[in-house]
Amino acid sequence: MFTWTRESGSGRPRKMTSNNKEKASRRSASQWAVAWRRFKRNKPGVIGLTMVIILFLFPLFEFAFTQLGWIFPARPDPAAYTFFYEIPPKIRQPPSLENLFKQPFRFTGIFGTTSIGSDVLSDMIHAAKYTLYVGILVTAITMALSVAVGATAGFFGGWVDNVLMRIAEVFLVFPSLLLILVFVRIFTLTVGEPFWTIPPFNIQIPTGLTIVIVVVAIFNWGSNARMIRGEFLRIRELEFVEAERALGAGNGRIIFRHILPNVLSSVIVVSSLTIAYAILLEAAVSFLGFGDVNTITWGQILQENFGDARVVWWAEFFPGLAILFSVFAFNLLGDGLSDALNPRLRE
Amino acid sequence: MPESILTVEGLKTYFFTEAGVVQAVDGISFNLRKGESLGLVGESGSGKTVSALSVLRIVPRPGKIIEGKIEFNGHNLLKKTEEEMRKIRGNEIAIIFQDPSSSLNPVYTIETQLKDVITAHQTQPREQAREKVMELLKLVGIPDPETRMMEYPHQFSGGMKQRVAIARALALEPKLLFADEPTTNLDVTIQAQVLGLLNDLKKKLGMSLVMISHDMGIIAEMTARIVVLYAGRVCEIARTNDLFEQPRHPYTAALLEAVPRLDMRKTLQVIPGNIPNLIEPPSGCRFHPRCEYSQDICAKKVPTLEQVGPDHFVACHMWQKITLKGERASHE
């Protein structure tokens, strides 16, 4: 097979000989290029990545569909049971595709309606952004904490390591779900405004949900910190670290410039898995009725309709499927990344 | 006699492990003259590497320099602050390590790593740094440096990696270079190339070189003077020729006998026993349990370095009473 390329300097497309091809592949053989090539061959990983991309498209869909009137706008106050999309409200409608063939064209009703007449599909699409918000923010906080703690413990060792790891273990042995529920309830009681508005684009940040996120993150950094500590311990002993020290590099430079980039691949893999876990945990918290009642999340939909589950099974089934989809997506992606970035682990 | 660039006096570096205090380096003294190449020889665990790391003050935990004096260019390095030491490392004293496979950071290109060293110590514009990197790679004999400097360590062979490691060590033109078994992990032909390169560079740049090895052949090839270490102490210091011709310490003689040779049909002599446990080292002369000439005094009194000839020192109670065969003699 021949590939056409433009050699720098010659300015003229040239047929690649095997020799040139080898050179080109050599030049782009950074760790990331190699990992990407390996990742592309991994089917489950690619499927996971596709699913994740679809998830990230949902906020876009949400905006477009709402503007087009294909789905109902977000419920302003889902707790208040005063708002109905349609008058008279179509309550407990089983899933049907009939709205697709009617004028005006709508997606509504595909997943049925609930006992208060809200449309399951519309709610689910509005909730997708919060799922990503939960997954990403929990992971960001968790990873920031665990990289800071793990790097310090692993690099400095000795009593610093001992103290930090004992603290991490305290968080590991706690029955975390129970404590998360307690703390979420305590902090949610103190919430005044249901939303913070961030000035430039008037982005609405749900206060209660953010509290859930912070609490979940604080109870989850332990195991990741241990993993990163282990990586730091391993890489700290490699000869290039000693060589850098012998060339006059200080601790800061060794940690940030030399060890951290080597740990990055593991951090990425664990991040992906942490996102999946965080989504699941938030759904659990919401389902148990400790979530943010002002924000509609998939777990929240499950909770709202739990009492009627025998009748409106679709209001439980489809949000549950969505949670499964997103957890599955990030887990597949994480596995694929781990195969691509740490092939050693699989050998 | 040219003046000394490095004088080590009574250096003691101990490792405080959970099992006890390991006396890895226990009172080593030697000196290195300007432009000289000195060999540090001994079995594994004799304190060669730890001595080198002590000079740079990068002994890994739980190791600690207990006492001694390390004078480099007239300054006592043990009195310097960490900040001052960092300026000396790489700039004045550099070291090449044993294992080229892990001595380069796998996530950066060769260019980035070398540039890093250059720009970290000197404020040079990036352009000039690039030129300098190319020059360095050319110096250590890497073909096609413009292309190869954009590659990652895993794209280099072991010998090439070691050349890059040498280039990195030489980037700031240090006055003193430690080569810690630089060829142990390379195959023989590459070994010869790398040693030849080191010799050339030493002459070209006028560095002083401390060659650390357990390979007597390499040491004979590369150095003018040899310090023989055993279990953290100095046994013998002599000019290379003198040492090979007339070793005065039984350990030196045993080391020479343990060198395999192709041109002689002779069974290889093994030194009986192992290097002692350095948490509870043998009393007196540390070599006495393995020494065929040992007497009562050897277990009681620590021998001091005595001058036995021009530039020839030995730490042995028995040296006057025994005659040892040199390398040449022993094979005839």
Side-chain angles (χ1 to χ4, degrees):
Chain A
M1 211 174 70
F2 291 109
T3 327
W4 291 91
T5 104
R6 197 178 279 272
E7 283 273 296
S8 65
S10 77
R12 195 162 48 100
R14 241 181 52 185
K15 208 176 256 175
M16 257 195 164
T17 60
S18 62
N19 190 22
N20 277 336
K21 213 174 186 174
E22 197 184 12
K23 257 193 179 167
S25 74
R26 275 191 139 185
R27 221 167 290 156
S28 65
S30 82
Q31 211 196 9
W32 303 112
V34 172
W36 173 238
R37 238 173 282 154
R38 226 180 284 138
F39 183 81
K40 277 192 295 188
R41 283 202 298 270
N42 181 322
K43 271 224 184 77
V46 172
I47 293 172
L49 180 65
T50 318
M51 288 163 79
V52 167
I53 291 172
I54 292 172
L55 273 176
F56 273 91
L57 288 177
F58 266 90
L60 278 182
F61 292 158
E62 181 193 359
F63 179 75
F65 293 175
T66 316
Q67 294 295 313
L68 289 164
W70 290 358
I71 57 171
F72 292 127
R75 288 188 274 162
D77 186 1
Y81 293 96
T82 53
F83 180 85
F84 298 106
Y85 298 118
E86 286 176 290
I87 297 172
K90 286 184 176 172
I91 61 166
R92 295 179 186 157
Q93 292 283 317
S96 89
L97 297 175
E98 62 181 297
N99 278 348
L100 293 177
F101 307 104
K102 277 193 199 155
Q103 281 302 328
F105 174 82
R106 273 180 181 171
F107 280 136
T108 54
I110 293 180
F111 290 168
T113 60
T114 68
S115 299
I116 58 162
S118 69
D119 180 55
V120 176
L121 179 73
S122 301
D123 283 356
M124 277 172 60
I125 292 178
H126 292 304
K129 61 173 178 288
Y130 292 125
T131 302
L132 294 174
Y133 176 58
V134 168
I136 290 167
L137 194 57
V138 167
T139 305
I141 300 173
T142 308
M143 292 323 286
L145 273 173
S146 45
V147 167
V149 172
T152 314
F155 184 79
F156 292 104
W159 67 267
V160 180
D161 182 27
N162 256 323
V163 169
L164 289 176
M165 282 305 106
R166 293 304 84 76
I167 295 172
E169 273 157 23
V170 167
F171 279 92
L172 277 175
V173 297
F174 273 156
S176 59
L177 184 62
L178 202 65
L179 283 167
I180 289 170
L181 296 182
V182 171
F183 280 100
V184 164
R185 181 46 57 88
I186 292 171
F187 289 124
T188 340
L189 288 176
T190 66
V191 172
E193 290 290 306
F195 289 95
W196 290 313
T197 312
I198 309 275
F201 302 105
N202 286 331
I203 298 168
Q204 301 239 301
I205 304 288
T207 322
L209 191 63
T210 309
I211 289 171
V212 174
I213 287 169
V214 172
V215 173
V216 166
I218 284 172
F219 282 95
N220 264 314
W221 59 272
S223 57
N224 292 346
R226 279 171 73 109
M227 188 280 296
I228 289 162
R229 163 188 175 263
E231 287 287 280
F232 260 77
L233 275 179
R234 181 177 68 81
I235 293 164
R236 184 185 79 177
E237 299 303 321
L238 294 182
E239 217 158 58
F240 72 83
V241 173
E242 204 175 12
E244 286 301 329
R245 196 177 284 288
L247 285 165
N251 283 342
R253 192 177 181 78
I254 289 175
I255 292 175
F256 290 108
R257 177 107 179 127
H258 292 287
I259 304 186
L260 206 53
N262 278 286
V263 178
L264 207 58
S265 60
S266 305
V267 170
I268 290 170
V269 171
V270 183
S271 295
S272 183
L273 300 175
T274 307
I275 291 177
Y277 185 63
I279 290 172
L280 203 58
L281 206 53
E282 187 279 330
V285 170
S286 290
F287 175 70
L288 291 172
F290 288 74
D292 179 2
V293 286
N294 300 310
T295 315
I296 184 128
T297 66
W298 294 337
Q300 202 69 41
I301 303 176
L302 290 181
Q303 208 278 327
E304 275 179 16
N305 297 295
F306 183 62
D308 302 329
R310 215 176 285 190
V311 188
V312 289
W313 58 267
W314 50 85
E316 299 287 287
F317 179 73
F318 293 108
L321 213 58
I323 294 169
L324 180 71
F325 179 87
S326 50
V327 171
F328 204 52
F330 282 106
N331 269 315
L332 281 181
L333 176 67
D335 263 15
L337 286 174
S338 133
D339 282 355
L341 293 168
N342 298 330
R344 265 167 303 147
L345 297 179
R346 290 298 162 115
E347 271 159 27
Chain B
M1 194 178 286
E3 58 179 312
S4 292
I5 185 165
L6 177 75
T7 315
V8 175
E9 257 172 54
L11 177 70
K12 286 188 180 177
T13 304
Y14 291 177
F15 286 79
F16 297 87
T17 66
E18 272 163 36
V21 180
V22 180
Q23 305 172 12
V25 168
D26 196 21
I28 282 182
S29 305
F30 62 86
N31 75 317
L32 175 69
R33 293 157 199 157
K34 267 192 181 140
E36 188 187 35
S37 32
L38 181 79
L40 284 186
V41 185
E43 283 167 280
S44 314
S46 57
K48 298 165 294 182
T49 304
V50 176
S51 315
L53 297 182
S54 300
V55 171
L56 279 158
R57 284 198 19 212
I58 51 171
V59 183
R61 264 172 323 193
K64 237 180 144 181
I65 300 170
I66 299 301
E67 57 175 71
K69 206 168 109 188
I70 298 170
E71 207 159 82
F72 174 75
N73 265 345
H75 301 286
N76 190 349
L77 295 186
L78 295 184
K79 293 235 168 75
K80 297 258 182 209
T81 63
E82 180 59 26
E83 202 53 38
E84 289 170 315
M85 268 321 284
R86 273 177 44 199
K87 293 207 179 90
I88 290 172
R89 291 178 201 138
N91 248 337
E92 311 268 334
I93 311 175
I95 184 165
I96 306 165
F97 290 101
Q98 200 183 100
D99 185 7
S101 64
S102 68
S103 66
L104 299 169
N105 192 337
V107 302
Y108 294 122
T109 60
I110 302 307
E111 183 185 0
T112 313
Q113 302 197 34
L114 291 180
K115 251 188 197 169
D116 245 31
V117 177
I118 296 165
T119 48
H121 282 269
Q122 306 165 351
T123 43
Q124 268 191 350
R126 299 299 276 179
E127 278 302 299
Q128 269 178 32
R130 199 187 143 85
E131 294 282 300
K132 174 93 193 191
V133 169
M134 226 131 78
E135 201 179 292
L136 277 167
L137 292 179
K138 236 175 253 162
L139 187 72
V140 295
I142 287 179
D144 195 12
E146 295 95 53
T147 346
R148 300 229 68 186
M149 69 199 252
M150 291 189 286
E151 294 181 0
Y152 289 83
H154 69 93
Q155 290 164 294
F156 281 66
S157 67
M160 282 295 161
K161 268 187 219 163
Q162 195 60 296
R163 283 166 191 264
V164 174
I166 293 172
R168 183 178 57 180
L170 298 180
L172 302 165
E173 289 160 25
K175 294 176 186 70
L176 169 59
L177 181 68
F178 282 95
D180 185 0
E181 309 203 23
T183 57
T184 307
N185 287 321
L186 304 175
D187 58 44
V188 192
T189 46
I190 309 295
Q191 240 180 51
Q193 289 176 10
V194 169
L195 291 177
L197 172 72
L198 272 177
N199 242 340
D200 288 351
L201 290 175
K202 183 184 157 291
K203 268 182 217 138
K204 224 183 266 178
L205 305 174
M207 290 182 302
S208 313
L209 177 72
V210 177
M211 189 82 191
I212 298 173
S213 183
H214 54 249
D215 186 328
M216 293 304 268
I218 289 176
I219 289 290
E221 200 67 39
M222 295 288 293
T223 62
R225 224 151 48 93
I226 295 179
V227 177
V228 182
L229 297 181
Y230 181 79
R233 292 213 183 121
V234 177
C235 294
E236 192 167 1
I237 303 177
R239 289 188 198 133
T240 305
N241 276 337
D242 298 348
L243 193 94
F244 276 77
E245 230 150 72
Q246 185 48 265
R248 293 293 191 177
H249 197 287
Y251 177 63
T252 315
L255 267 186
L256 292 175
E257 295 232 359
V259 178
R261 302 230 334 200
L262 285 177
D263 55 341
M264 301 289 162
R265 283 179 170 275
K266 179 178 157 289
T267 37
L268 212 53
Q269 290 301 305
V270 177
I271 309 177
N274 280 317
I275 199 142
N277 169 4
L278 292 179
I279 293 177
E280 285 169 65
S283 59
C285 171
R286 286 188 174 175
F287 187 58
H288 85 260
R290 295 169 80 185
C291 180
E292 54 182 308
Y293 306 100
S294 95
Q295 302 288 324
D296 290 346
I297 185 174
C298 296
K300 282 179 196 137
K301 216 173 138 226
V302 178
T304 49
L305 273 180
E306 288 172 57
Q307 183 151 19
V308 299
D311 249 356
H312 197 157
F313 300 84
V314 69
C316 179
H317 295 301
M318 309 300 297
W319 71 271
Q320 276 162 318
K321 301 182 188 93
I322 54 179
T323 26
L324 296 162
K325 286 181 286 177
E327 201 239 0
R328 266 132 226 159
S330 73
H331 291 295
E332 271 151 25

